[in-house]
Amino acid sequence: MKYIFLLSGDFIDLAKEEIISLFEIKNCKDNNKLLIADLKNKKILIVGDHLAIAYCLSVGSAFKAAGHTIYFVSDISATGQFAKPRIQQIASMLHYCESMDDVKTVLLSMPLRDIEVIAVIGSVHVLKFIERLKTTILKTNWHPGAQWIASVYGPMQCMLKGVCAQCLQWQIDPKTGQRTKAVYACSWQHQPMELIDINNIAERLGQNRAQETLTQLWLDYLFDRGSICKV
Ligand code: FES
């Protein structure tokens, strides 16, 4: 999935410095609110792709102010990196990796036993990759009582928590893998990882592929012919 911000003039420098927050905290149903309001002095690992940067910018400062320590590891190429100085202000440890294999190497070198909350933020590919590490090569490295949160970023339309139902995503029973209930992901964007039906996110996102391909072709056409800046 690619994100391109179309900006002109003075807004380009502003956007590089001040990427806007994508998530509301105060009305949020998910675990972010709990971490900020009720829990203290946790070590939190945020791991993912470029979406993890947006997540960290949105909630990281509040986590830090609540007394938590943030570790940040993301798979994002050198050309796609942004907001590094701001992430450095939030995170005690920061790794921008070139691939998910690099992420794996970083995780293998970290004291994962001390980390009580892991937020996995990114694409279906990222969720599946970390899920695999969680249950195989790193199975015994994690804190035994670690709390896992992961992003459920499927298609959304109204973002009004139950009006259009475009954001419905299945949850599963972690023991059986059977689907248990559908939830409005716009009101619960970060869910306990063991409950998330990751394949369902992939299926729902796949429904947008034709539209995204056409949009990408149109943007490529515009960028080829006009002097439009990309951030
Ligand atoms: S996006 Fe419309 S109900 Fe969630």
Side-chain angles (χ1 to χ4, degrees):
M1 200 186 308
K2 291 179 182 169
Y3 294 86
I4 299 176
F5 299 88
L6 298 178
L7 298 159
S8 64
D10 297 339
F11 291 108
I12 292 172
D13 288 337
L14 178 66
K16 282 178 179 167
E17 288 304 311
E18 297 292 332
I19 300 294
I20 59 168
S21 170
L22 299 180
F23 308 103
E24 269 292 327
I25 292 176
K26 65 179 184 302
N27 295 321
C28 171
K29 178 181 179 180
D30 66 26
N31 304 57
N32 294 322
K33 188 174 176 185
L34 180 68
L35 283 165
I36 291 165
D38 300 331
L39 303 178
K40 298 280 178 257
N41 303 321
K42 298 276 182 193
K43 290 189 171 68
I44 301 174
L45 168 65
I46 298 173
V47 57
D49 54 20
H50 58 287
L51 294 170
I53 297 179
Y55 175 82
C56 188
L57 291 176
S58 299
V59 297
S61 298
F63 285 170
K64 193 174 174 183
H68 303 307
T69 304
I70 314 293
Y71 302 113
F72 183 86
V73 182
S74 76
D75 164 24
I76 184 157
S77 67
T79 52
Q81 293 180 6
F82 61 94
K84 203 166 184 174
R86 293 178 63 201
I87 300 286
Q88 276 166 336
Q89 286 175 4
I90 295 167
S92 303
M93 190 212 72
L94 164 70
H95 286 280
Y96 276 23
C97 302
E98 288 284 325
S99 69
M100 285 309 289
D101 280 333
D102 290 347
V103 168
K104 179 172 78 177
T105 305
V106 169
L107 294 179
L108 279 166
S109 70
M110 287 180 63
L112 297 176
R113 282 247 149 208
D114 299 339
I115 296 173
E116 296 157 277
V117 181
I118 299 116
V120 184
I121 308 296
S123 65
V124 166
H125 171 66
V126 168
L127 265 57
K128 286 193 170 184
F129 190 92
I130 299 294
E131 173 76 16
R132 251 195 323 277
L133 290 184
K134 177 177 180 249
T135 53
T136 56
I137 187 169
L138 292 175
K139 188 174 181 181
T140 56
N141 296 38
W142 308 105
H143 187 296
Q147 178 188 354
W148 288 78
I149 306 164
S151 57
V152 184
Y153 298 162
M156 299 192 194
Q157 185 173 309
C158 71
M159 301 292 287
L160 292 173
K161 306 179 182 180
V163 174
C164 75
Q166 286 298 311
C167 61
L168 281 176
Q169 292 284 345
W170 281 106
Q171 288 190 337
I172 54 172
D173 180 324
K175 289 202 178 79
T176 65
Q178 296 297 308
R179 288 175 173 174
T180 52
K181 63 175 178 178
V183 297
Y184 295 111
C186 71
S187 69
W188 198 0
Q189 298 173 21
H190 308 101
Q191 302 178 22
M193 191 166 182
E194 66 275 11
L195 299 183
I196 298 172
D197 185 343
I198 300 174
N199 289 329
N200 185 225
I201 303 176
E203 287 160 10
R204 295 284 287 110
L205 288 170
Q207 294 168 355
N208 285 357
R209 198 156 295 143
Q211 181 71 43
E212 286 171 3
T213 302
L214 287 171
T215 303
Q216 189 63 52
L217 288 170
W218 176 237
L219 283 171
D220 291 344
Y221 172 86
L222 292 177
F223 285 130
D224 278 350
R225 281 160 181 75
S227 55
I228 303 170
C229 295
K230 298 182 199 177
V231 176

